[in-house]
Amino acid sequence: MDSLVTEICKGLDIALAEFEAFRQEVPEAQWVGDVRELGAINKQNQEWINTHGFLRFLGTGVKWMAVVQPKSVIAAMSVNSIVSKVEGTDLTTSNVKTVEEALAWIKGEKVLSAQGA
């Protein structure tokens, strides 16, 4: 496992632990992924994320995820490829440019869901 995957694993462990603790208080599952500073992800790491990391993430029960897109076009392509693998799940996603847009989208999705839309 290379250093990027090791760092992703560590970050994912921390994020998932915090998310699970948060969900005890707020059961609606939502996530904002701010990956603006992410660089390109090589094919090996992308495959690991697709087959292991993202599956762990989906196991948290998250229903809505807004992704703040990377500044790098190449990184954005990698992120979009990873997020596109969520077909067949209950996860609804949106790609946005800012954290503010992400939070607004998450809030809007919750309102629509509560209304049965």
Side-chain angles (χ1 to χ4, degrees):
M1 190 177 322
D2 72 24
S3 62
L4 176 62
V5 172
T6 301
E7 290 302 311
I8 290 172
C9 288
K10 288 179 187 176
L12 186 60
D13 285 339
I14 293 167
L16 292 177
E18 290 180 7
F19 186 63
E20 283 299 318
F22 175 74
R23 285 201 53 222
Q24 299 301 314
E25 296 177 33
V26 182
E28 296 88 10
Q30 55 203 16
W31 188 277
V32 172
D34 183 357
V35 294
R36 288 176 288 184
E37 301 302 323
L38 184 69
I41 302 171
N42 71 32
K43 186 174 180 165
Q44 177 187 5
N45 292 336
Q46 190 169 339
E47 287 175 10
W48 182 90
I49 293 166
N50 287 342
T51 59
H52 295 88
F54 211 66
L55 291 177
R56 284 187 57 204
F57 172 73
L58 291 173
T60 66
V62 69
K63 300 287 184 201
W64 302 286
M65 179 177 71
V67 179
V68 183
Q69 289 291 288
K71 295 174 185 174
S72 160
V73 173
I74 294 171
M77 289 174 21
S78 294
V79 168
N80 292 338
S81 176
I82 292 165
V83 172
S84 72
K85 306 287 189 230
V86 301
E87 294 176 4
T89 72
D90 291 334
L91 181 64
T92 301
T93 63
S94 179
N95 294 324
V96 297
K97 293 181 181 179
T98 67
V99 171
E100 292 76 17
E101 287 178 49
L103 295 173
W105 179 83
I106 290 280
K107 184 177 180 180
E109 282 300 305
K110 287 176 59 180
V111 168
L112 289 174
S113 178
Q115 294 173 348

